[in-house]
Amino acid sequence: MESALDYWSARALLEWQAELGATEALCDAPVDRYALEQAAPKPKPGAAPAPPPKPREADPVDAARKAAKGAVSLPALRDALAGFSHCDLKRGARNLVFSDGRAGARVMIIGEAPGRDEDLQGKPFVGRAGQLLDKMLEAIDLSRAESVYITNVLPWRPPQNRDPLPAEIAMLAPFLERHVALAEPDVLVLMGNISCLAVLGKRGITRLRGQWDQAWGKPVMPMFHPAYLLRQPQQKRQAWSDLLELKARLGALS
């Protein structure tokens, strides 16, 4: 059946409808599009079957929560971390850096992430920063051998000692919270910005240091990281003030 319109008239009408927003042509008879969506396309003869849907990827944070919750002791928590496969930092690190010091001590120090020396030895705070930390603790009659327990936010060294990524902190925070619960310290000491972010959800160590806070049912004291004090020795006066505040708080809790 030929149209009564000539070519130019039909084209002008089509352009006018397009300007009005028409996006598709309609048939003379109505079409039930819901039925069309529900109807599965029939496979062509000889066509290969459709591949099965990909399994849903596990949420790393949820997997960390389950693994951490299942640990009933510090050795079990260490094993859970060693078997955690969702963190890519594990592939580039030499060792898992879990803890040092005396488990069950009144003071638990949380650093940021292992450096080169820590990665080689598998212990936190063993380089120059660790030596300074030992002197700081000794100045207020504490020691990692008898009265302090130490760990990090991350148990594996980031490449080139870069700052931990937010996704890495979120992924490993459940292990850190469980670590604190199992170690049962009286006081937490957070050394550096990354530790404050992981535990308190805050940054700005120059503003936070020396001010008591609360997290995971424990009193928390943010302090400068010893590595920062090595670069900025003029800040040692503030660090000494924070150490005295920590000593006073331990005396009050006795």
mmCIF file with all atom_site columns, all heavy atoms in Angstrom, residues 196-221:
data_model
loop_
_atom_site.group_PDB
_atom_site.id
_atom_site.type_symbol
_atom_site.label_atom_id
_atom_site.label_alt_id
_atom_site.label_comp_id
_atom_site.label_asym_id
_atom_site.label_entity_id
_atom_site.label_seq_id
_atom_site.pdbx_PDB_ins_code
_atom_site.Cartn_x
_atom_site.Cartn_y
_atom_site.Cartn_z
_atom_site.occupancy
_atom_site.B_iso_or_equiv
_atom_site.pdbx_formal_charge
_atom_site.auth_seq_id
_atom_site.auth_comp_id
_atom_site.auth_asym_id
_atom_site.auth_atom_id
_atom_site.pdbx_PDB_model_num
ATOM 1   N N   . CYS A 1 196 ? 45.068 6.612  64.282 1.00 0.00 ? 196 CYS A N   1
ATOM 2   C CA  . CYS A 1 196 ? 43.902 7.391  64.716 1.00 0.00 ? 196 CYS A CA  1
ATOM 3   C C   . CYS A 1 196 ? 42.738 7.207  63.749 1.00 0.00 ? 196 CYS A C   1
ATOM 4   O O   . CYS A 1 196 ? 41.577 7.111  64.164 1.00 0.00 ? 196 CYS A O   1
ATOM 5   C CB  . CYS A 1 196 ? 44.268 8.866  64.823 1.00 0.00 ? 196 CYS A CB  1
ATOM 6   S SG  . CYS A 1 196 ? 45.436 9.241  66.155 1.00 0.00 ? 196 CYS A SG  1
ATOM 7   N N   . LEU A 1 197 ? 43.034 7.150  62.466 1.00 0.00 ? 197 LEU A N   1
ATOM 8   C CA  . LEU A 1 197 ? 41.978 6.962  61.479 1.00 0.00 ? 197 LEU A CA  1
ATOM 9   C C   . LEU A 1 197 ? 41.335 5.598  61.624 1.00 0.00 ? 197 LEU A C   1
ATOM 10  O O   . LEU A 1 197 ? 40.107 5.457  61.553 1.00 0.00 ? 197 LEU A O   1
ATOM 11  C CB  . LEU A 1 197 ? 42.562 7.128  60.072 1.00 0.00 ? 197 LEU A CB  1
ATOM 12  C CG  . LEU A 1 197 ? 41.583 7.010  58.908 1.00 0.00 ? 197 LEU A CG  1
ATOM 13  C CD1 . LEU A 1 197 ? 40.512 8.085  58.995 1.00 0.00 ? 197 LEU A CD1 1
ATOM 14  C CD2 . LEU A 1 197 ? 42.323 7.097  57.584 1.00 0.00 ? 197 LEU A CD2 1
ATOM 15  N N   . ALA A 1 198 ? 42.143 4.561  61.843 1.00 0.00 ? 198 ALA A N   1
ATOM 16  C CA  . ALA A 1 198 ? 41.617 3.205  61.935 1.00 0.00 ? 198 ALA A CA  1
ATOM 17  C C   . ALA A 1 198 ? 40.776 2.995  63.195 1.00 0.00 ? 198 ALA A C   1
ATOM 18  O O   . ALA A 1 198 ? 39.759 2.307  63.164 1.00 0.00 ? 198 ALA A O   1
ATOM 19  C CB  . ALA A 1 198 ? 42.762 2.196  61.896 1.00 0.00 ? 198 ALA A CB  1
ATOM 20  N N   . VAL A 1 199 ? 41.190 3.574  64.296 1.00 0.00 ? 199 VAL A N   1
ATOM 21  C CA  . VAL A 1 199 ? 40.528 3.315  65.584 1.00 0.00 ? 199 VAL A CA  1
ATOM 22  C C   . VAL A 1 199 ? 39.478 4.374  65.910 1.00 0.00 ? 199 VAL A C   1
ATOM 23  O O   . VAL A 1 199 ? 38.375 4.051  66.364 1.00 0.00 ? 199 VAL A O   1
ATOM 24  C CB  . VAL A 1 199 ? 41.574 3.228  66.712 1.00 0.00 ? 199 VAL A CB  1
ATOM 25  C CG1 . VAL A 1 199 ? 40.885 3.002  68.058 1.00 0.00 ? 199 VAL A CG1 1
ATOM 26  C CG2 . VAL A 1 199 ? 42.570 2.104  66.433 1.00 0.00 ? 199 VAL A CG2 1
ATOM 27  N N   . LEU A 1 200 ? 39.813 5.644  65.685 1.00 0.00 ? 200 LEU A N   1
ATOM 28  C CA  . LEU A 1 200 ? 38.917 6.738  66.064 1.00 0.00 ? 200 LEU A CA  1
ATOM 29  C C   . LEU A 1 200 ? 38.118 7.296  64.890 1.00 0.00 ? 200 LEU A C   1
ATOM 30  O O   . LEU A 1 200 ? 37.160 8.047  65.094 1.00 0.00 ? 200 LEU A O   1
ATOM 31  C CB  . LEU A 1 200 ? 39.722 7.883  66.688 1.00 0.00 ? 200 LEU A CB  1
ATOM 32  C CG  . LEU A 1 200 ? 40.493 7.557  67.972 1.00 0.00 ? 200 LEU A CG  1
ATOM 33  C CD1 . LEU A 1 200 ? 41.351 8.747  68.376 1.00 0.00 ? 200 LEU A CD1 1
ATOM 34  C CD2 . LEU A 1 200 ? 39.546 7.167  69.096 1.00 0.00 ? 200 LEU A CD2 1
ATOM 35  N N   . GLY A 1 201 ? 38.545 6.961  63.665 1.00 0.00 ? 201 GLY A N   1
ATOM 36  C CA  . GLY A 1 201 ? 37.900 7.550  62.499 1.00 0.00 ? 201 GLY A CA  1
ATOM 37  C C   . GLY A 1 201 ? 38.254 9.015  62.325 1.00 0.00 ? 201 GLY A C   1
ATOM 38  O O   . GLY A 1 201 ? 37.504 9.764  61.702 1.00 0.00 ? 201 GLY A O   1
ATOM 39  N N   . LYS A 1 202 ? 39.400 9.448  62.862 1.00 0.00 ? 202 LYS A N   1
ATOM 40  C CA  . LYS A 1 202 ? 39.822 10.843 62.803 1.00 0.00 ? 202 LYS A CA  1
ATOM 41  C C   . LYS A 1 202 ? 41.259 10.941 62.305 1.00 0.00 ? 202 LYS A C   1
ATOM 42  O O   . LYS A 1 202 ? 42.058 10.014 62.493 1.00 0.00 ? 202 LYS A O   1
ATOM 43  C CB  . LYS A 1 202 ? 39.737 11.495 64.190 1.00 0.00 ? 202 LYS A CB  1
ATOM 44  C CG  . LYS A 1 202 ? 38.383 11.418 64.860 1.00 0.00 ? 202 LYS A CG  1
ATOM 45  C CD  . LYS A 1 202 ? 38.450 11.974 66.266 1.00 0.00 ? 202 LYS A CD  1
ATOM 46  C CE  . LYS A 1 202 ? 37.120 11.833 66.996 1.00 0.00 ? 202 LYS A CE  1
ATOM 47  N NZ  . LYS A 1 202 ? 37.218 12.330 68.410 1.00 0.00 ? 202 LYS A NZ  1
ATOM 48  N N   . ARG A 1 203 ? 41.576 12.082 61.681 1.00 0.00 ? 203 ARG A N   1
ATOM 49  C CA  . ARG A 1 203 ? 42.943 12.402 61.285 1.00 0.00 ? 203 ARG A CA  1
ATOM 50  C C   . ARG A 1 203 ? 43.344 13.745 61.894 1.00 0.00 ? 203 ARG A C   1
ATOM 51  O O   . ARG A 1 203 ? 42.508 14.458 62.420 1.00 0.00 ? 203 ARG A O   1
ATOM 52  C CB  . ARG A 1 203 ? 43.065 12.488 59.753 1.00 0.00 ? 203 ARG A CB  1
ATOM 53  C CG  . ARG A 1 203 ? 42.899 11.173 59.018 1.00 0.00 ? 203 ARG A CG  1
ATOM 54  C CD  . ARG A 1 203 ? 43.157 11.343 57.534 1.00 0.00 ? 203 ARG A CD  1
ATOM 55  N NE  . ARG A 1 203 ? 44.550 11.650 57.276 1.00 0.00 ? 203 ARG A NE  1
ATOM 56  C CZ  . ARG A 1 203 ? 45.441 10.741 56.880 1.00 0.00 ? 203 ARG A CZ  1
ATOM 57  N NH1 . ARG A 1 203 ? 45.089 9.484  56.695 1.00 0.00 ? 203 ARG A NH1 1
ATOM 58  N NH2 . ARG A 1 203 ? 46.702 11.097 56.668 1.00 0.00 ? 203 ARG A NH2 1
ATOM 59  N N   . GLY A 1 204 ? 44.636 14.039 61.792 1.00 0.00 ? 204 GLY A N   1
ATOM 60  C CA  . GLY A 1 204 ? 45.133 15.305 62.322 1.00 0.00 ? 204 GLY A CA  1
ATOM 61  C C   . GLY A 1 204 ? 45.843 15.085 63.637 1.00 0.00 ? 204 GLY A C   1
ATOM 62  O O   . GLY A 1 204 ? 45.374 15.539 64.686 1.00 0.00 ? 204 GLY A O   1
ATOM 63  N N   . ILE A 1 205 ? 46.989 14.382 63.599 1.00 0.00 ? 205 ILE A N   1
ATOM 64  C CA  . ILE A 1 205 ? 47.651 13.976 64.828 1.00 0.00 ? 205 ILE A CA  1
ATOM 65  C C   . ILE A 1 205 ? 48.133 15.174 65.640 1.00 0.00 ? 205 ILE A C   1
ATOM 66  O O   . ILE A 1 205 ? 48.139 15.130 66.872 1.00 0.00 ? 205 ILE A O   1
ATOM 67  C CB  . ILE A 1 205 ? 48.827 13.024 64.506 1.00 0.00 ? 205 ILE A CB  1
ATOM 68  C CG1 . ILE A 1 205 ? 49.413 12.412 65.778 1.00 0.00 ? 205 ILE A CG1 1
ATOM 69  C CG2 . ILE A 1 205 ? 49.884 13.728 63.679 1.00 0.00 ? 205 ILE A CG2 1
ATOM 70  C CD1 . ILE A 1 205 ? 48.434 11.578 66.565 1.00 0.00 ? 205 ILE A CD1 1
ATOM 71  N N   . THR A 1 206 ? 48.496 16.280 64.988 1.00 0.00 ? 206 THR A N   1
ATOM 72  C CA  . THR A 1 206 ? 48.945 17.450 65.754 1.00 0.00 ? 206 THR A CA  1
ATOM 73  C C   . THR A 1 206 ? 47.814 18.046 66.583 1.00 0.00 ? 206 THR A C   1
ATOM 74  O O   . THR A 1 206 ? 48.066 18.694 67.601 1.00 0.00 ? 206 THR A O   1
ATOM 75  C CB  . THR A 1 206 ? 49.515 18.529 64.804 1.00 0.00 ? 206 THR A CB  1
ATOM 76  O OG1 . THR A 1 206 ? 48.525 18.861 63.828 1.00 0.00 ? 206 THR A OG1 1
ATOM 77  C CG2 . THR A 1 206 ? 50.765 18.021 64.098 1.00 0.00 ? 206 THR A CG2 1
ATOM 78  N N   . ARG A 1 207 ? 46.575 17.829 66.151 1.00 0.00 ? 207 ARG A N   1
ATOM 79  C CA  . ARG A 1 207 ? 45.414 18.306 66.906 1.00 0.00 ? 207 ARG A CA  1
ATOM 80  C C   . ARG A 1 207 ? 44.942 17.266 67.920 1.00 0.00 ? 207 ARG A C   1
ATOM 81  O O   . ARG A 1 207 ? 44.476 17.615 69.009 1.00 0.00 ? 207 ARG A O   1
ATOM 82  C CB  . ARG A 1 207 ? 44.282 18.640 65.924 1.00 0.00 ? 207 ARG A CB  1
ATOM 83  C CG  . ARG A 1 207 ? 42.950 18.986 66.569 1.00 0.00 ? 207 ARG A CG  1
ATOM 84  C CD  . ARG A 1 207 ? 41.942 19.402 65.519 1.00 0.00 ? 207 ARG A CD  1
ATOM 85  N NE  . ARG A 1 207 ? 41.899 18.453 64.422 1.00 0.00 ? 207 ARG A NE  1
ATOM 86  C CZ  . ARG A 1 207 ? 41.165 17.335 64.422 1.00 0.00 ? 207 ARG A CZ  1
ATOM 87  N NH1 . ARG A 1 207 ? 40.425 17.033 65.470 1.00 0.00 ? 207 ARG A NH1 1
ATOM 88  N NH2 . ARG A 1 207 ? 41.173 16.530 63.374 1.00 0.00 ? 207 ARG A NH2 1
ATOM 89  N N   . LEU A 1 208 ? 45.079 15.984 67.580 1.00 0.00 ? 208 LEU A N   1
ATOM 90  C CA  . LEU A 1 208 ? 44.547 14.912 68.428 1.00 0.00 ? 208 LEU A CA  1
ATOM 91  C C   . LEU A 1 208 ? 45.496 14.519 69.552 1.00 0.00 ? 208 LEU A C   1
ATOM 92  O O   . LEU A 1 208 ? 45.041 14.064 70.603 1.00 0.00 ? 208 LEU A O   1
ATOM 93  C CB  . LEU A 1 208 ? 44.250 13.678 67.569 1.00 0.00 ? 208 LEU A CB  1
ATOM 94  C CG  . LEU A 1 208 ? 43.179 13.823 66.485 1.00 0.00 ? 208 LEU A CG  1
ATOM 95  C CD1 . LEU A 1 208 ? 43.133 12.571 65.615 1.00 0.00 ? 208 LEU A CD1 1
ATOM 96  C CD2 . LEU A 1 208 ? 41.809 14.072 67.103 1.00 0.00 ? 208 LEU A CD2 1
ATOM 97  N N   . ARG A 1 209 ? 46.792 14.666 69.344 1.00 0.00 ? 209 ARG A N   1
ATOM 98  C CA  . ARG A 1 209 ? 47.772 14.155 70.303 1.00 0.00 ? 209 ARG A CA  1
ATOM 99  C C   . ARG A 1 209 ? 47.579 14.798 71.680 1.00 0.00 ? 209 ARG A C   1
ATOM 100 O O   . ARG A 1 209 ? 47.219 15.971 71.816 1.00 0.00 ? 209 ARG A O   1
ATOM 101 C CB  . ARG A 1 209 ? 49.208 14.411 69.817 1.00 0.00 ? 209 ARG A CB  1
ATOM 102 C CG  . ARG A 1 209 ? 49.532 15.878 69.528 1.00 0.00 ? 209 ARG A CG  1
ATOM 103 C CD  . ARG A 1 209 ? 50.923 16.256 69.984 1.00 0.00 ? 209 ARG A CD  1
ATOM 104 N NE  . ARG A 1 209 ? 51.046 16.264 71.419 1.00 0.00 ? 209 ARG A NE  1
ATOM 105 C CZ  . ARG A 1 209 ? 50.812 17.334 72.179 1.00 0.00 ? 209 ARG A CZ  1
ATOM 106 N NH1 . ARG A 1 209 ? 50.377 18.470 71.646 1.00 0.00 ? 209 ARG A NH1 1
ATOM 107 N NH2 . ARG A 1 209 ? 50.970 17.254 73.486 1.00 0.00 ? 209 ARG A NH2 1
ATOM 108 N N   . GLY A 1 210 ? 47.803 13.974 72.684 1.00 0.00 ? 210 GLY A N   1
ATOM 109 C CA  . GLY A 1 210 ? 47.723 14.481 74.047 1.00 0.00 ? 210 GLY A CA  1
ATOM 110 C C   . GLY A 1 210 ? 46.328 14.618 74.600 1.00 0.00 ? 210 GLY A C   1
ATOM 111 O O   . GLY A 1 210 ? 46.153 15.003 75.757 1.00 0.00 ? 210 GLY A O   1
ATOM 112 N N   . GLN A 1 211 ? 45.294 14.298 73.796 1.00 0.00 ? 211 GLN A N   1
ATOM 113 C CA  . GLN A 1 211 ? 43.911 14.427 74.238 1.00 0.00 ? 211 GLN A CA  1
ATOM 114 C C   . GLN A 1 211 ? 43.287 13.031 74.385 1.00 0.00 ? 211 GLN A C   1
ATOM 115 O O   . GLN A 1 211 ? 43.239 12.273 73.417 1.00 0.00 ? 211 GLN A O   1
ATOM 116 C CB  . GLN A 1 211 ? 43.095 15.245 73.225 1.00 0.00 ? 211 GLN A CB  1
ATOM 117 C CG  . GLN A 1 211 ? 43.672 16.610 72.914 1.00 0.00 ? 211 GLN A CG  1
ATOM 118 C CD  . GLN A 1 211 ? 43.670 17.524 74.131 1.00 0.00 ? 211 GLN A CD  1
ATOM 119 O OE1 . GLN A 1 211 ? 42.727 17.526 74.929 1.00 0.00 ? 211 GLN A OE1 1
ATOM 120 N NE2 . GLN A 1 211 ? 44.731 18.312 74.277 1.00 0.00 ? 211 GLN A NE2 1
ATOM 121 N N   . TRP A 1 212 ? 42.826 12.711 75.563 1.00 0.00 ? 212 TRP A N   1
ATOM 122 C CA  . TRP A 1 212 ? 42.224 11.394 75.770 1.00 0.00 ? 212 TRP A CA  1
ATOM 123 C C   . TRP A 1 212 ? 40.932 11.259 74.977 1.00 0.00 ? 212 TRP A C   1
ATOM 124 O O   . TRP A 1 212 ? 40.141 12.193 74.884 1.00 0.00 ? 212 TRP A O   1
ATOM 125 C CB  . TRP A 1 212 ? 41.937 11.164 77.253 1.00 0.00 ? 212 TRP A CB  1
ATOM 126 C CG  . TRP A 1 212 ? 43.175 10.861 78.051 1.00 0.00 ? 212 TRP A CG  1
ATOM 127 C CD1 . TRP A 1 212 ? 43.842 11.717 78.874 1.00 0.00 ? 212 TRP A CD1 1
ATOM 128 C CD2 . TRP A 1 212 ? 43.893 9.632  78.074 1.00 0.00 ? 212 TRP A CD2 1
ATOM 129 N NE1 . TRP A 1 212 ? 44.929 11.099 79.415 1.00 0.00 ? 212 TRP A NE1 1
ATOM 130 C CE2 . TRP A 1 212 ? 44.996 9.811  78.949 1.00 0.00 ? 212 TRP A CE2 1
ATOM 131 C CE3 . TRP A 1 212 ? 43.719 8.396  77.457 1.00 0.00 ? 212 TRP A CE3 1
ATOM 132 C CZ2 . TRP A 1 212 ? 45.913 8.792  79.209 1.00 0.00 ? 212 TRP A CZ2 1
ATOM 133 C CZ3 . TRP A 1 212 ? 44.642 7.380  77.714 1.00 0.00 ? 212 TRP A CZ3 1
ATOM 134 C CH2 . TRP A 1 212 ? 45.719 7.580  78.575 1.00 0.00 ? 212 TRP A CH2 1
ATOM 135 N N   . ASP A 1 213 ? 40.744 10.067 74.423 1.00 0.00 ? 213 ASP A N   1
ATOM 136 C CA  . ASP A 1 213 ? 39.531 9.740  73.673 1.00 0.00 ? 213 ASP A CA  1
ATOM 137 C C   . ASP A 1 213 ? 39.082 8.362  74.110 1.00 0.00 ? 213 ASP A C   1
ATOM 138 O O   . ASP A 1 213 ? 39.662 7.765  75.028 1.00 0.00 ? 213 ASP A O   1
ATOM 139 C CB  . ASP A 1 213 ? 39.810 9.788  72.159 1.00 0.00 ? 213 ASP A CB  1
ATOM 140 C CG  . ASP A 1 213 ? 38.573 10.200 71.362 1.00 0.00 ? 213 ASP A CG  1
ATOM 141 O OD1 . ASP A 1 213 ? 37.457 9.770  71.738 1.00 0.00 ? 213 ASP A OD1 1
ATOM 142 O OD2 . ASP A 1 213 ? 38.715 10.931 70.373 1.00 0.00 ? 213 ASP A OD2 1
ATOM 143 N N   . GLN A 1 214 ? 38.055 7.836  73.458 1.00 0.00 ? 214 GLN A N   1
ATOM 144 C CA  . GLN A 1 214 ? 37.495 6.545  73.828 1.00 0.00 ? 214 GLN A CA  1
ATOM 145 C C   . GLN A 1 214 ? 37.205 5.746  72.557 1.00 0.00 ? 214 GLN A C   1
ATOM 146 O O   . GLN A 1 214 ? 36.678 6.274  71.581 1.00 0.00 ? 214 GLN A O   1
ATOM 147 C CB  . GLN A 1 214 ? 36.200 6.727  74.630 1.00 0.00 ? 214 GLN A CB  1
ATOM 148 C CG  . GLN A 1 214 ? 35.712 5.471  75.334 1.00 0.00 ? 214 GLN A CG  1
ATOM 149 C CD  . GLN A 1 214 ? 36.410 5.238  76.666 1.00 0.00 ? 214 GLN A CD  1
ATOM 150 O OE1 . GLN A 1 214 ? 37.155 6.105  77.132 1.00 0.00 ? 214 GLN A OE1 1
ATOM 151 N NE2 . GLN A 1 214 ? 36.195 4.088  77.268 1.00 0.00 ? 214 GLN A NE2 1
ATOM 152 N N   . ALA A 1 215 ? 37.566 4.463  72.573 1.00 0.00 ? 215 ALA A N   1
ATOM 153 C CA  . ALA A 1 215 ? 37.257 3.595  71.437 1.00 0.00 ? 215 ALA A CA  1
ATOM 154 C C   . ALA A 1 215 ? 37.291 2.146  71.904 1.00 0.00 ? 215 ALA A C   1
ATOM 155 O O   . ALA A 1 215 ? 38.168 1.756  72.696 1.00 0.00 ? 215 ALA A O   1
ATOM 156 C CB  . ALA A 1 215 ? 38.251 3.796  70.297 1.00 0.00 ? 215 ALA A CB  1
ATOM 157 N N   . TRP A 1 216 ? 36.335 1.365  71.407 1.00 0.00 ? 216 TRP A N   1
ATOM 158 C CA  . TRP A 1 216 ? 36.274 -0.071 71.698 1.00 0.00 ? 216 TRP A CA  1
ATOM 159 C C   . TRP A 1 216 ? 36.290 -0.353 73.201 1.00 0.00 ? 216 TRP A C   1
ATOM 160 O O   . TRP A 1 216 ? 36.847 -1.342 73.671 1.00 0.00 ? 216 TRP A O   1
ATOM 161 C CB  . TRP A 1 216 ? 37.420 -0.817 71.006 1.00 0.00 ? 216 TRP A CB  1
ATOM 162 C CG  . TRP A 1 216 ? 37.392 -0.677 69.514 1.00 0.00 ? 216 TRP A CG  1
ATOM 163 C CD1 . TRP A 1 216 ? 36.309 -0.397 68.737 1.00 0.00 ? 216 TRP A CD1 1
ATOM 164 C CD2 . TRP A 1 216 ? 38.499 -0.798 68.609 1.00 0.00 ? 216 TRP A CD2 1
ATOM 165 N NE1 . TRP A 1 216 ? 36.665 -0.348 67.409 1.00 0.00 ? 216 TRP A NE1 1
ATOM 166 C CE2 . TRP A 1 216 ? 37.995 -0.586 67.300 1.00 0.00 ? 216 TRP A CE2 1
ATOM 167 C CE3 . TRP A 1 216 ? 39.859 -1.070 68.773 1.00 0.00 ? 216 TRP A CE3 1
ATOM 168 C CZ2 . TRP A 1 216 ? 38.795 -0.642 66.162 1.00 0.00 ? 216 TRP A CZ2 1
ATOM 169 C CZ3 . TRP A 1 216 ? 40.664 -1.118 67.650 1.00 0.00 ? 216 TRP A CZ3 1
ATOM 170 C CH2 . TRP A 1 216 ? 40.135 -0.911 66.361 1.00 0.00 ? 216 TRP A CH2 1
ATOM 171 N N   . GLY A 1 217 ? 35.676 0.558  73.966 1.00 0.00 ? 217 GLY A N   1
ATOM 172 C CA  . GLY A 1 217 ? 35.591 0.371  75.405 1.00 0.00 ? 217 GLY A CA  1
ATOM 173 C C   . GLY A 1 217 ? 36.877 0.663  76.149 1.00 0.00 ? 217 GLY A C   1
ATOM 174 O O   . GLY A 1 217 ? 36.994 0.312  77.338 1.00 0.00 ? 217 GLY A O   1
ATOM 175 N N   . LYS A 1 218 ? 37.839 1.333  75.504 1.00 0.00 ? 218 LYS A N   1
ATOM 176 C CA  . LYS A 1 218 ? 39.135 1.607  76.128 1.00 0.00 ? 218 LYS A CA  1
ATOM 177 C C   . LYS A 1 218 ? 39.452 3.094  76.056 1.00 0.00 ? 218 LYS A C   1
ATOM 178 O O   . LYS A 1 218 ? 39.103 3.770  75.090 1.00 0.00 ? 218 LYS A O   1
ATOM 179 C CB  . LYS A 1 218 ? 40.259 0.849  75.410 1.00 0.00 ? 218 LYS A CB  1
ATOM 180 C CG  . LYS A 1 218 ? 40.027 -0.638 75.242 1.00 0.00 ? 218 LYS A CG  1
ATOM 181 C CD  . LYS A 1 218 ? 40.145 -1.377 76.564 1.00 0.00 ? 218 LYS A CD  1
ATOM 182 C CE  . LYS A 1 218 ? 39.952 -2.881 76.354 1.00 0.00 ? 218 LYS A CE  1
ATOM 183 N NZ  . LYS A 1 218 ? 40.018 -3.614 77.644 1.00 0.00 ? 218 LYS A NZ  1
ATOM 184 N N   . PRO A 1 219 ? 40.149 3.645  77.084 1.00 0.00 ? 219 PRO A N   1
ATOM 185 C CA  . PRO A 1 219 ? 40.678 5.003  76.951 1.00 0.00 ? 219 PRO A CA  1
ATOM 186 C C   . PRO A 1 219 ? 41.816 5.016  75.931 1.00 0.00 ? 219 PRO A C   1
ATOM 187 O O   . PRO A 1 219 ? 42.636 4.097  75.889 1.00 0.00 ? 219 PRO A O   1
ATOM 188 C CB  . PRO A 1 219 ? 41.179 5.334  78.365 1.00 0.00 ? 219 PRO A CB  1
ATOM 189 C CG  . PRO A 1 219 ? 41.382 4.013  79.025 1.00 0.00 ? 219 PRO A CG  1
ATOM 190 C CD  . PRO A 1 219 ? 40.395 3.071  78.418 1.00 0.00 ? 219 PRO A CD  1
ATOM 191 N N   . VAL A 1 220 ? 41.844 6.036  75.106 1.00 0.00 ? 220 VAL A N   1
ATOM 192 C CA  . VAL A 1 220 ? 42.776 6.104  73.981 1.00 0.00 ? 220 VAL A CA  1
ATOM 193 C C   . VAL A 1 220 ? 43.581 7.389  74.047 1.00 0.00 ? 220 VAL A C   1
ATOM 194 O O   . VAL A 1 220 ? 43.023 8.476  74.214 1.00 0.00 ? 220 VAL A O   1
ATOM 195 C CB  . VAL A 1 220 ? 42.009 6.034  72.637 1.00 0.00 ? 220 VAL A CB  1
ATOM 196 C CG1 . VAL A 1 220 ? 42.958 6.226  71.469 1.00 0.00 ? 220 VAL A CG1 1
ATOM 197 C CG2 . VAL A 1 220 ? 41.267 4.712  72.511 1.00 0.00 ? 220 VAL A CG2 1
ATOM 198 N N   . MET A 1 221 ? 44.907 7.264  73.900 1.00 0.00 ? 221 MET A N   1
ATOM 199 C CA  . MET A 1 221 ? 45.794 8.423  73.862 1.00 0.00 ? 221 MET A CA  1
ATOM 200 C C   . MET A 1 221 ? 46.518 8.466  72.508 1.00 0.00 ? 221 MET A C   1
ATOM 201 O O   . MET A 1 221 ? 47.366 7.629  72.222 1.00 0.00 ? 221 MET A O   1
ATOM 202 C CB  . MET A 1 221 ? 46.821 8.354  74.997 1.00 0.00 ? 221 MET A CB  1
ATOM 203 C CG  . MET A 1 221 ? 47.959 9.361  74.862 1.00 0.00 ? 221 MET A CG  1
ATOM 204 S SD  . MET A 1 221 ? 47.427 11.095 74.839 1.00 0.00 ? 221 MET A SD  1
ATOM 205 C CE  . MET A 1 221 ? 47.056 11.364 76.571 1.00 0.00 ? 221 MET A CE  1
#
